[in-house]
Amino acid sequence: MDRRWPFVVFIVLLIALHLFLRVGLGLGFWVPDLLTVALLLAARRMPAGYASGLGLAIGLIRDSVNLTTFGSDAVVLTILGYFGSRTRDYFVGDSMFFLAIYLFIGKWVHDALYFVVARVVGVRDAVSTLLIEAPLAAGYAALAGLVLFSAYRAFARER
């Protein structure tokens, strides 16, 4: 029996949940960034090329909703998928402590790269964006990712 399909379903559900909550219900910034969480979790289990492709696909999905900076998230998530996959070579294991740090840093790097690529705010807002808003969003996404991944592990009986 193939043991990958429950994880693939989990990643697809994260993407669908993000789109349903943020776009369908219009909750906006109240919803954690589940697209980045889904990419970071999937990238740990994929080769770098596939993780980059998944990042590109997820980035295009997010960019289709935000037309002002079209393509920026596709570039950022492609890079993040590649480097997220490469962390498997340097950090072994999936403890909750490591996962919390991994998701926090991954989301913060996403926001920092997006800030550089999209240039959506002025230079005066750089400090508040990168040092206040991005860490808060990263902590929120990491917490949501830990809760949802713990639920997945319990459901899939995965250690």
Side-chain angles (χ1 to χ4, degrees):
M1 182 172 148
D2 191 12
R3 300 181 72 179
R4 289 181 289 183
W5 74 266
F7 187 74
V8 171
V9 169
F10 171 66
I11 296 300
V12 170
L13 285 176
L14 279 180
I15 294 169
L17 181 65
H18 176 87
L19 293 172
F20 175 71
L21 292 174
R22 191 166 283 208
V23 179
L25 294 181
L27 296 177
F29 69 92
W30 292 104
V31 179
D33 187 2
L34 297 178
L35 293 180
T36 303
V37 169
L39 173 65
L40 289 169
L41 291 175
R44 291 275 302 159
R45 297 184 182 203
M46 300 173 84
Y50 290 121
S52 297
L54 179 63
L56 177 66
I58 291 174
L60 289 174
I61 290 170
R62 179 178 285 158
D63 283 338
S64 69
V65 177
N66 183 11
L67 297 177
T68 58
T69 56
F70 188 78
S72 299
D73 239 335
V75 170
V76 170
L77 289 176
T78 300
I79 294 168
L80 194 65
Y82 175 79
F83 285 110
S85 175
R86 300 297 295 172
T87 62
R88 188 179 60 245
D89 297 338
Y90 302 109
F91 303 103
V92 178
D94 278 330
S95 72
M96 285 299 172
F97 179 71
F98 169 76
L99 194 60
I101 292 172
Y102 171 70
L103 291 174
F104 179 85
I105 291 173
K107 172 62 176 145
W108 188 85
V109 167
H110 169 268
D111 290 350
L113 285 174
Y114 186 78
F115 174 79
V116 170
V117 171
R119 297 185 187 150
V120 290
V121 294
V123 176
R124 298 178 73 187
D125 296 332
V127 173
S128 67
T129 299
L130 295 177
L131 298 180
I132 297 172
E133 294 173 21
L136 288 174
Y140 186 37
L143 180 64
L146 285 176
V147 168
L148 292 169
F149 192 66
S150 295
Y152 160 73
R153 279 185 169 174
F155 176 74
R157 293 187 178 104
E158 184 179 291
R159 282 182 33 133

